[in-house]
Amino acid sequence: DAKTTQPTSMDCAEGRAANLPCNHSTISGNEYVYWYRQIHSQGPQYIIHGLKNNETNEMASLIITEDRKSSTLILPHATLRDTAVYYCIAHGSSNTGKLIFGQGTTLQVKP
Amino acid sequence: GAGVSQSPRYKVAKRGQDVALRCDPISGHVSLFWYQQALGQGPEFLTYFQNEAQLDKSGLPSDRFFAERPEGSVSTLKIQRTQQEDSAVYLCASSLQKDTQYFGPGTRLTVL
């Protein structure tokens, strides 16, 4: 799976949109971009994933650039409960399908 | 609905003790993964099962670590002769095939 690069930390004001960037310049054609988050003392929680097209669900939106070398996770109206470590993972189902986590971005939502 | 459950949630062991950690995946999920998460780090892959077959154990750090899933459902991760460096959160995840993985809450192991 391709390596991803994320900022170490970000702050966001409560009620504002949180935009979390991720670079995955070596992503291959069959690899999806997955986003998970991990709230303190909990297991990672699946948020969203996409291949080429932008995706939206009840939790977030995922914007993938046309060249697929980067993406942005958007939490439209961040709340204090969105404070967590956010992991961007480029993942194909080759081999065993194991996920390779990096350090992630620690998002701090402030009142 | 029922998600992935793990037990115990917390385990304290004396150095040299054996421990067994249990994972109950989502019903019907074929794939099951174990990860280890050290403090302040992202989870790291340990091993993978497809039904009862252990297809990848490349992430197990030593031969003291052993995992099984005898009936293709519940899985147990066993650590023999625990060492302090085994202290970590052990996460289990399951997926329908090799797609989206859903994680349990983890077991925090502390080895004294």
Side-chain angles (χ1 to χ4, degrees), chain B residues 2-111:
Chain B
V4 178
S5 60
Q6 293 186 245
S7 60
R9 290 294 316 278
Y10 302 91
K11 177 70 179 177
V12 178
K14 292 182 179 177
R15 192 158 54 100
Q17 272 186 327
D18 297 350
V19 298
L21 313 180
R22 177 188 169 106
C23 171
D24 282 83
I26 294 171
S27 177
H29 277 195
V30 168
S31 299
L32 186 145
F33 301 81
W34 283 97
Y35 294 83
Q36 180 190 57
Q37 186 171 24
L39 194 63
Q41 304 295 315
E44 292 192 356
F45 170 79
L46 292 177
T47 188
Y48 160 69
F49 289 86
Q50 183 177 75
N51 295 307
E52 69 279 1
Q54 188 175 18
L55 299 185
D56 186 347
K57 50 183 181 179
S58 62
L60 296 177
S62 79
D63 58 9
R64 295 185 295 103
F65 286 70
F66 171 77
E68 61 183 4
R69 194 186 184 197
E71 297 177 359
S73 178
V74 170
S75 176
T76 304
L77 176 67
K78 297 179 179 177
I79 309 173
Q80 296 176 322
R81 305 181 302 281
T82 52
Q83 303 294 314
Q84 281 192 320
E85 62 262 28
D86 300 335
S87 295
V89 175
Y90 291 86
L91 295 160
C92 175
S94 71
S95 63
L96 207 51
Q97 292 289 342
K98 292 184 194 175
D99 49 357
T100 303
Q101 293 180 31
Y102 296 92
F103 284 79
T107 294
R108 181 178 296 278
L109 173 65
T110 302
V111 181

Side-chain angles (χ1 to χ4, degrees), chain A residues 1-4 87-91 97-102, chain B residues 35 43-45:
Chain A
D1 292 345
K3 179 179 166 60
T4 61
Y87 295 100
C88 167
I89 302 169
H91 176 58
K98 64 188 177 188
L99 297 174
I100 299 174
F101 290 80
Chain B
Y35 294 83
E44 292 192 356
F45 170 79

Side-chain angles (χ1 to χ4, degrees), chain A residues 57-79:
Chain A
N57 62 20
E58 64 280 2
M59 289 184 69
S61 294
L62 174 60
I63 308 298
I64 303 174
T65 58
E66 197 168 334
D67 63 8
R68 302 211 324 124
K69 292 186 177 182
S70 65
S71 60
T72 302
L73 179 75
I74 301 171
L75 308 178
H77 306 287
T79 71

